[in-house]
Amino acid sequence: MSAYAALAEPHRRDILDLLRGGERSVGELVARLDISQPGVSKHLRVLRDAGLVTVRPEGRVRRYALSPAPLAEVDAWLEPYRAAWSARLDVLQRHLEEHPE
Protein backbone atom coordinates (compact mmCIF):
# COMPACT_ATOMS: atom_id res chain seq x y z
CA MET A 1 0.00 0.00 0.00
CA SER A 2 1.25 3.47 -0.82
CA ALA A 3 1.66 6.23 1.73
CA TYR A 4 -1.19 8.09 0.00
CA ALA A 5 -3.61 5.20 0.43
CA ALA A 6 -2.52 4.66 4.04
CA LEU A 7 -3.08 8.34 4.85
CA ALA A 8 -6.59 8.29 3.39
CA GLU A 9 -7.98 6.62 6.53
CA PRO A 10 -8.63 9.04 9.44
CA HIS A 11 -7.68 6.59 12.21
CA ARG A 12 -4.29 6.07 10.60
CA ARG A 13 -3.72 9.81 10.52
CA ASP A 14 -4.66 9.92 14.22
CA ILE A 15 -2.09 7.22 14.95
CA LEU A 16 0.60 9.16 13.06
CA ASP A 17 -0.33 12.30 15.00
CA LEU A 18 0.23 10.43 18.26
CA LEU A 19 3.53 8.99 17.05
CA ARG A 20 4.85 12.48 16.28
CA GLY A 21 5.39 12.77 20.04
CA GLY A 22 7.61 9.68 20.12
CA GLU A 23 7.43 5.93 20.30
CA ARG A 24 4.29 4.29 21.64
CA SER A 25 3.09 0.77 22.24
CA VAL A 26 -0.18 -0.60 20.89
CA GLY A 27 -1.62 -0.36 24.40
CA GLU A 28 -0.71 3.32 24.65
CA LEU A 29 -2.33 4.00 21.28
CA VAL A 30 -5.49 2.09 22.24
CA ALA A 31 -5.74 4.16 25.42
CA ARG A 32 -5.64 7.40 23.41
CA LEU A 33 -7.91 6.37 20.52
CA ASP A 34 -11.49 5.22 20.23
CA ILE A 35 -10.45 1.99 18.49
CA SER A 36 -10.12 -1.59 19.72
CA GLN A 37 -6.72 -3.23 20.12
CA PRO A 38 -7.23 -5.42 17.03
CA GLY A 39 -8.26 -2.32 15.08
CA VAL A 40 -5.16 -0.38 16.12
CA SER A 41 -2.99 -3.39 15.27
CA LYS A 42 -4.52 -3.62 11.78
CA HIS A 43 -3.94 0.09 11.16
CA LEU A 44 -0.36 -0.20 12.40
CA ARG A 45 0.23 -3.10 10.02
CA VAL A 46 -0.97 -0.97 7.08
CA LEU A 47 1.18 1.97 8.21
CA ARG A 48 4.19 -0.32 8.61
CA ASP A 49 3.65 -1.86 5.16
CA ALA A 50 3.49 1.67 3.69
CA GLY A 51 6.76 2.53 5.43
CA LEU A 52 5.17 5.22 7.59
CA VAL A 53 6.01 3.57 10.92
CA THR A 54 8.76 1.36 12.24
CA VAL A 55 8.49 -1.21 15.01
CA ARG A 56 11.05 -2.02 17.69
CA PRO A 57 10.65 -4.92 20.09
CA GLU A 58 11.23 -4.02 23.74
CA GLY A 59 10.83 -7.19 25.77
CA ARG A 60 7.28 -8.41 25.19
CA VAL A 61 6.13 -4.99 23.95
CA ARG A 62 6.47 -3.64 20.45
CA ARG A 63 7.21 0.08 20.24
CA TYR A 64 6.04 1.95 17.14
CA ALA A 65 7.64 5.13 15.82
CA LEU A 66 6.96 7.53 12.99
CA SER A 67 9.10 7.06 9.88
CA PRO A 68 9.05 10.43 8.13
CA ALA A 69 10.75 9.46 4.83
CA PRO A 70 7.53 8.52 2.95
CA LEU A 71 5.94 11.75 4.17
CA ALA A 72 8.58 13.72 2.24
CA GLU A 73 7.14 12.26 -0.98
CA VAL A 74 3.64 13.31 0.06
CA ASP A 75 4.93 16.77 1.00
CA ALA A 76 6.61 17.16 -2.40
CA TRP A 77 3.37 16.19 -4.13
CA LEU A 78 1.42 18.74 -2.04
CA GLU A 79 3.84 21.63 -2.69
CA PRO A 80 2.20 22.94 -5.90
CA TYR A 81 -1.21 22.87 -4.19
CA ARG A 82 0.22 24.67 -1.17
CA ALA A 83 1.61 27.39 -3.46
CA ALA A 84 -1.78 27.80 -5.17
CA TRP A 85 -3.60 28.08 -1.84
CA SER A 86 -1.03 30.51 -0.51
CA ALA A 87 -1.57 32.85 -3.46
CA ARG A 88 -5.34 32.69 -2.99
CA LEU A 89 -5.06 33.35 0.73
CA ASP A 90 -2.85 36.38 0.02
CA VAL A 91 -5.60 37.77 -2.24
CA LEU A 92 -8.20 37.13 0.46
CA GLN A 93 -6.04 38.82 3.09
CA ARG A 94 -5.62 41.93 0.90
CA HIS A 95 -9.38 42.03 0.29
CA LEU A 96 -10.14 41.78 4.01
CA GLU A 97 -7.62 44.52 4.81
CA GLU A 98 -9.15 46.80 2.18
CA HIS A 99 -12.72 46.04 3.32
CA PRO A 100 -12.60 45.55 7.08
CA GLU A 101 -16.39 45.44 7.50
Side-chain angles (χ1 to χ4, degrees), residues 13-98:
R13 292 192 305 270
D14 292 342
I15 290 170
L16 292 177
D17 287 343
L18 290 171
L19 293 177
R20 279 186 313 178
E23 288 185 334
R24 294 186 188 269
S25 68
V26 174
E28 291 170 320
L29 292 169
V30 169
R32 300 284 306 268
L33 300 166
D34 190 25
I35 314 172
S36 67
Q37 186 277 324
V40 170
S41 293
K42 286 180 185 180
H43 288 304
L44 285 168
R45 188 175 316 114
V46 170
L47 291 168
R48 191 178 64 231
D49 290 348
L52 291 164
V53 300
T54 59
V55 62
R56 178 180 65 82
E58 186 178 87
R60 292 178 29 171
V61 176
R62 292 177 169 267
R63 310 279 303 164
Y64 290 85
L66 183 64
S67 179
L71 294 174
E73 178 186 343
V74 174
D75 184 57
W77 180 79
L78 286 171
E79 183 56 34
Y81 299 97
R82 190 178 300 117
W85 272 108
S86 180
R88 289 186 173 117
L89 290 173
D90 290 344
V91 170
L92 175 61
Q93 181 179 0
R94 281 192 301 276
H95 174 78
L96 293 173
E97 288 171 353
E98 293 169 5

